[in-house]
Amino acid sequence: MTLAPLVAGAAGRPTLSFELFPPRSPEGRNALWCRLSDLLATQPDFVSVTFGAAGATRGPSRDLMAHVLSSTAVPAMAHLTCVGSSRREVIDLACEFFDAGVRNVLALRGDPPVGTGAAQFRPHPDGVRTARDLVELLQVADRRRLAQRGGRLPVDVPPLSLAVAAFPRDRDGCELAVLRAKQDAGAQFAVCQVGWSAREYATFVARARAAGVTIPLLPGLAVTHEVRRLERIGELTGVPAPRALLAALDTDDVRVRRRAGTAFTSGVARDLLAVGAPGLHLYTFNAVEPVLDLLEQLHDHPDLTRPAERRPRAVGGRTR
């Protein structure tokens, strides 16, 4: 399934999607595999699978994508980064994904490899330096692949769908110009960096529209009640968690933390939908329970839960 029309409103309702990352150990892989069916049973519109800097998780990312595509009917979107890679390496990896059935890609520049500072990092001399260039290159790779196969897609293979990242905390307009360039290169929708404010998101959308950005802008929402994880998100993105949330999570009682985290996140989710967000993209951190808790809180939302399959279900005596 091609995701761009879905995110643009083809389903007549907001979309629900999850971000997953490839586990870093066999134990993590087994744990995710055991609970993944519970997560996907909520019938998200799609899941996205992250891809480590400079191909660090190439094999595990591909395996997770293949598992989702082969074991469920949930569409999957592959993250693909280009930092530090040559054009040939990017094309080869893209074709690996295409051969595995991937037709939805989140095109990202990515960060330099861990341990490499911005001052020390040197791009590949024949590399792809920006996400805009990556969007163009992926379309070239797809056209070449089709040409080798007679120039036509098989009837059961959808067109390529390309998404990019967006950064709502852009203050000086530079990121809006970059986003417009990615759109003009062929990107069909954008997934926003994690945010905590529907007002901030709505302001960003208004500024983006004024700058000529017309593609759907899907807000990103972190789903966790772990303080250290929230602090780490702030360190990596420059988007700190709200003080009110951190204060509510300042307890050793795990159950209280879970309830507080769910209550805060569900409030933000409802506010985002109220200001017209085309859906919710949930950063799950591979943790199933917080996502199920959130969806339980949102089960009465008329737009998000219209499909019957997405309603909470009873498992082991507890409502899911």
Side-chain angles (χ1 to χ4, degrees), residues 244-256:
L245 174 58
L246 295 177
L249 299 179
D250 187 18
T251 173
D252 293 329
D253 190 320
V254 176
R255 290 175 297 180
V256 173

Side-chain angles (χ1 to χ4, degrees), residues 88-109:
R88 181 73 264 166
E89 288 169 338
V90 171
I91 289 175
D92 287 346
L93 178 59
C95 288
E96 279 187 34
F97 283 143
F98 297 158
D99 289 340
V102 174
R103 301 301 295 162
N104 302 290
V105 178
L106 178 59
L108 305 164
R109 185 193 66 183

Side-chain angles (χ1 to χ4, degrees), residues 227-246:
V227 172
R228 181 61 192 122
R229 179 165 283 155
L230 292 170
E231 291 173 344
R232 183 60 175 160
I233 292 171
E235 293 169 1
L236 292 173
T237 65
V239 184
R243 293 180 180 177
L245 174 58
L246 295 177

Side-chain angles (χ1 to χ4, degrees), residues 162-191:
L162 296 174
V164 292
F167 302 90
R169 284 216 162 187
D170 174 35
R171 300 305 187 201
D172 57 12
C174 292
E175 287 291 346
L176 284 177
V178 171
L179 181 58
R180 172 64 187 269
K182 290 187 283 191
Q183 169 187 279
D184 294 347
Q188 294 152 300
F189 69 97
V191 178

